[in-house]
Amino acid sequence: MNLYSVLEKGFPKDKKACALETHDGLYYSWGDLEAATAKLSNLLASLKLPKGARVAVQVEKSPEALFLYLATIRAGYVYLPLNTAYQSAEIQYFLENAEPAVVVCSSKNLSWVSAVASKAGTKYVFTLDENRTGTLLDSASGLSDKFKTVPAKDDDLAAILYTSGTTGRSKGAMLTHKNLGSNAQVLQKFWGWKKGDVLLHALPIFHVHGLFVAAHGALINGSKMIWLPRLDTAQLLKHMPQSTVMMGVPTFYVRLLADKGFTKKVASNMRLFISGSAPLLTETFNTFKDVIGQPILERYGMSETVMLVSNPYKGKRVGGSVGLPLPGVKVRVVDEDNKPCKVNEIGSIQVKGPNIFAGYWRMPEKTAEEFTKDGWFKTGDVGRWGGDANGGKAPNDYLCIVGRSKDLIISGGYNVYPKEIESFIDDMPGVDESAVIGIPHPDFGEAVMAVVVPKAGAKLNAEAMIATLKTQIANFKIPKRVEIVADLPRNAMGKVQKNILRQQYTA
Ligand code: MCA
Ligand code: AMP
């Protein structure tokens, strides 16, 4: 079934009820949402795109950006969201790889996006800005506000999400209508969504967390969303008394706790705070419980799998554990021979279920590598069942993530692959080699740091290197610190020992 039809089942009968309230005081009813979505679906349908055509979108967060997403799904096309921090070289790669039929961008980026899109063979480029302007809305404005949702098979593609690669460039994770619809249904029950819930939404909507976990949750439950453009603690505190559910990356909770205005009283209407995308420090979990009087619910997922494991809504929430496999999701922790580990033994986390993606876009070999012969997806995360989870003893059926086998940094909930940053640094004049590592950071959890070796006789300037990187890659990938050193520590095989660098710079 088309994912939109799955979500629509939860829309309230009262079409005048509020679906979205914005930070600047605008209200969109469910009728508005359906009409705006229909107009945009009609626009896409009028372009007569082939089945499976991709609609790539790099725009600021706005209600209309959400409607564009829903319209794409409703019209049977494939949604491809792109982080607003991506720069032209990054966007060029995504467009050339995905070959979208339609690109929607902010009007301030139109000139360079058009150039890149035309190179990639894209036929239509529209603009959409956060103040409800742009050629997309202009083109849709005269069209009908009714649209018959295009039927979709369970394994038809609904979205492609690019996730960075450990060795090469980003891979597009292909998610089907079934992947997304089944996960939304499971989460609605598992997290006890109920009538009257109001979601406080401050996450970006170009990733799984803000779009497929948070927004889907409210949509399938017919719940109002308070729609904030970005994380702003003052705005969160202002709207919290009218809200019941919030989702955030750990940085959301660190920043809220640093604000004196965040009290039990302000949060008294809230029934659920959910954290994910990166490890929630036990210290944050415990302080939150002390200050607010309720435990944050931590869950675990991936772009390739949507949500996998979650602490329970009603049962025990354990700090330092991500909880129980969601209904329908199978999780195993295995040793190097793919044999199941015992409780408290550390191994690789592998998963199966209706939520597991359909593969990487046009990368069949890479897809095959990431699955075991018997069909388990290798998450690249390392964990164990039960054991001491810092926040107390985890029951034996609770999963604890203890690390990652993939060389990945998660900074403020965004993934950064060291290899990508190293390749940009290594291309700079005077650089012999580099190692990019993650070091603990009080706000972002982990911060990106680069350790760089100059070529013989070359002089490198850390600030100038950072300035150059800022013109090349998204801002969250920029190293917060660059250290110039004479050489990198290596093991007997000649491999750079990043663990030693991490220890050294963490100290
Ligand atoms: C911004 N900056 C960052 C980050 N964000 N640096 C490192 N890591 C970051 N995440 C830098 C900017 O480059 C800038 O640096 C300075 O911080 C201020 O930028 P600003 O945009 O004002 O930052 P902010 O608004 O305070 O944003 C921080 C944030 C944001 C709220 C943590 O990054 C965020 O919303 N993260 C959520 C990511 C997310 O949704 N992840 C879900 C992925 P300068 O001043 O030098 O230019 S989905 C996923 O992972 C899976 C499926 C899952 O399980 O959910
Ligand atoms: P992404 O591919 O961007 O969706 O990021 C997925 C990765 O985020 C996972 O493979 C984990 O490494 C990490 N992740 C997500 N949620 C959690 C969590 N609650 N605790 C620890 N790591 C997490």
Side-chain angles (χ1 to χ4, degrees):
M1 190 192 277
N2 186 304
L3 166 65
Y4 182 83
S5 307
V6 175
L7 299 173
E8 192 184 25
K9 279 193 196 159
F11 293 2
K13 291 218 168 61
D14 177 8
K15 297 298 170 207
K16 293 208 177 95
C18 183
L20 289 170
E21 177 187 338
T22 66
H23 67 294
D24 48 359
L26 292 178
Y27 290 81
Y28 293 74
S29 67
W30 287 92
D32 295 335
L33 177 147
E34 286 178 353
T37 303
K39 278 175 183 270
L40 291 169
S41 295
N42 277 313
L43 172 63
L44 292 174
S46 74
L47 305 177
K48 306 261 177 283
L49 309 174
K51 187 174 155 51
R54 277 80 57 211
V55 177
V57 178
Q58 190 197 32
V59 299
E60 296 298 334
K61 183 176 174 183
S62 68
E64 289 71 22
L66 178 69
F67 304 156
L68 171 59
Y69 159 63
L70 292 171
T72 306
I73 299 296
R74 212 176 163 179
Y77 297 121
V78 181
Y79 190 70
L80 197 167
L82 295 164
N83 193 320
T84 46
Y86 290 146
Q87 308 247 15
S88 63
E90 291 160 309
I91 295 293
Q92 182 175 342
Y93 169 77
F94 296 125
L95 300 193
E96 285 179 356
N97 190 256
E99 299 184 75
V102 178
V103 171
V104 184
C105 66
S106 300
S107 55
K108 66 175 191 297
N109 297 337
L110 180 63
S111 65
W112 66 261
V113 173
S114 302
V116 169
S118 124
K119 258 197 188 163
T122 298
K123 228 169 151 191
Y124 303 97
V125 179
F126 295 99
T127 59
L128 174 63
D129 291 325
E130 61 268 48
N131 59 357
R132 299 171 300 290
T133 56
T135 56
L136 183 84
L137 298 179
D138 291 347
S139 310
S141 70
L143 302 179
S144 166
D145 60 5
K146 301 275 179 296
F147 184 80
K148 200 165 169 297
T149 299
V150 172
K153 294 204 194 77
D154 279 356
D155 53 5
D156 282 347
L157 287 194
I160 297 181
L161 272 97
Y162 275 86
T163 81
S164 303
T166 32
T167 48
R169 299 304 295 261
S170 287
K171 304 161 289 183
M174 301 189 287
L175 293 160
T176 64
H177 286 259
K178 169 86 174 181
N179 292 151
L180 299 174
S182 64
N183 212 239
Q185 285 167 326
V186 165
L187 293 177
Q188 186 188 13
K189 269 203 182 150
F190 201 79
W191 290 341
W193 278 92
K194 52 188 176 200
K195 209 166 178 248
D197 267 334
V198 175
L199 177 73
L200 189 49
H201 194 302
L203 283 162
I205 55 165
F206 40 69
H207 279 305
V208 163
H209 198 163
L211 192 57
F212 302 147
V213 190
H216 277 183
L219 290 166
I220 200 169
N221 199 54
S223 287
K224 170 175 154 177
M225 287 188 256
I226 297 181
W227 195 250
L228 306 180
R230 62 189 59 83
L231 172 59
D232 171 342
T233 32
Q235 282 286 330
L236 286 185
L237 295 177
K238 178 178 165 201
H239 293 285
M240 201 168 280
Q242 291 83 50
S243 309
T244 63
V245 181
M246 193 187 96
M247 300 188 197
V249 299
T251 303
F252 277 45
Y253 298 106
V254 170
R255 290 198 190 169
L256 275 172
L257 287 170
D259 194 313
K260 284 203 178 65
F262 187 45
T263 58
K264 247 185 205 156
K265 188 157 174 255
V266 166
S268 61
N269 202 40
M270 294 290 295
R271 70 166 183 85
L272 187 56
F273 290 95
I274 300 177
S275 176
S277 308
L280 179 72
L281 292 182
T282 313
E283 186 193 329
T284 312
F285 177 85
N286 288 337
T287 313
F288 194 96
K289 206 161 139 192
D290 290 345
V291 175
I292 302 303
Q294 55 172 303
I296 298 174
L297 181 154
E298 187 177 7
R299 59 55 178 182
Y300 158 58
M302 290 181 73
S303 298
E304 289 91 337
T305 65
V306 215
M307 294 302 100
L308 292 163
V309 176
S310 169
N311 271 278
Y313 175 54
K314 286 218 168 104
K316 184 175 171 186
R317 297 183 203 161
V318 180
S321 164
V322 286
L324 302 150
L326 288 166
V329 177
K330 286 190 191 152
V331 179
R332 68 180 193 182
V333 176
V334 294
D335 65 16
E336 279 170 9
D337 301 321
N338 282 336
K339 297 252 162 49
C341 293
K342 294 195 195 94
V343 165
N344 213 3
E345 258 177 31
I346 291 174
S348 305
I349 302 173
Q350 299 182 348
V351 294
K352 254 188 191 180
N355 50 321
I356 309 302
F357 74 137
Y360 294 112
W361 172 254
R362 292 181 181 163
M363 287 188 185
E365 292 89 9
K366 188 76 208 153
T367 304
E369 273 172 33
E370 301 300 324
F371 283 86
T372 62
K373 285 201 185 82
D374 50 347
W376 292 82
F377 175 60
K378 305 176 196 167
T379 63
D381 292 310
V382 175
R384 55 152 206 269
W385 295 111
D388 185 0
N390 300 332
K393 189 129 183 69
N396 290 349
D397 50 353
Y398 277 46
L399 184 71
C400 297
I401 299 175
V402 299
R404 302 167 201 133
S405 58
K406 47 196 175 191
D407 191 13
L408 162 71
I409 301 165
I410 306 184
S411 176
Y414 287 139
N415 289 8
V416 180
Y417 277 89
K419 185 89 196 130
E420 184 189 3
I421 319 303
E422 286 161 7
S423 68
F424 278 96
I425 295 177
D426 293 350
D427 280 350
M428 289 182 187
V431 172
D432 184 26
E433 61 172 347
S434 63
V436 167
I437 53 169
I439 50 168
H441 189 277
D443 186 34
F444 294 127
E446 280 183 293
V448 178
M449 169 176 183
V451 187
V452 186
V453 180
K455 283 199 173 116
K459 270 223 153 95
L460 292 175
N461 176 318
E463 273 168 37
M465 293 175 75
I466 289 179
T468 305
L469 285 173
K470 280 190 174 175
T471 64
Q472 297 173 318
I473 48 176
N475 58 11
F476 62 89
K477 299 179 188 172
I478 307 291
K480 302 280 183 229
R481 187 174 159 195
V482 173
E483 281 291 319
I484 316 288
V485 299
D487 46 38
L488 298 172
R490 291 184 187 277
N491 64 15
M493 314 288 288
K495 200 168 177 292
V496 175
Q497 291 169 302
K498 289 197 172 180
N499 52 336
I500 293 185
L501 291 174
R502 259 181 238 115
Q503 272 168 17
Q504 185 181 342
Y505 290 105
T506 299

